[in-house]
Amino acid sequence: MEECRRRGLLAGAYALRRPRGATFLRRLARDLAEQRKGPGVLLRRGLTLLRTEPAVLRRQTGLGAEAARGRDVLRQVAGLLAAGHPHAR
């Protein structure tokens, strides 16, 4: 990631931090509506993802991503666009 920044290819990297319960419910509702798999499989998979989400966020931030809420990321990207950052488009 640092090499990309040094070369001017990366303005930032973000790991979205969202309420885990809300993410679980949105994902479950989407997958049930799309009939991706049986309800039992989807529920077990969703619960597993719910439990592992903090570890995923820790891994991404350990790799250099900034943990942020979606609206904060949008605000930062809008600031880059307003400042004319060449890689914000």
Side-chain angles (χ1 to χ4, degrees):
M1 188 174 324
E2 285 306 315
E3 178 64 17
C4 289
R5 282 193 177 126
R6 187 182 67 72
R7 292 178 180 215
L9 300 173
L10 181 67
Y14 301 98
L16 291 181
R17 184 176 48 213
R18 295 181 170 165
R20 289 173 36 205
T23 300
F24 167 77
L25 292 174
R26 279 193 303 269
R27 183 184 294 126
L28 182 61
R30 179 201 65 202
D31 292 348
L32 287 171
E34 294 178 3
Q35 299 179 350
R36 292 173 175 242
K37 291 185 173 36
V41 171
L42 295 174
L43 187 58
R44 283 190 303 277
R45 176 181 170 267
L47 290 171
T48 298
L49 291 171
L50 177 72
R51 284 190 301 270
T52 61
E53 190 172 325
V56 172
L57 186 60
R58 278 193 305 274
R59 180 177 186 279
Q60 296 306 314
T61 56
L63 291 171
E66 178 184 341
R69 295 184 309 203
R71 67 176 150 220
D72 295 334
V73 172
L74 291 174
R75 195 175 302 125
Q76 290 179 18
V77 170
L80 290 172
L81 286 169
H85 192 283
H87 299 291
R89 293 198 182 271

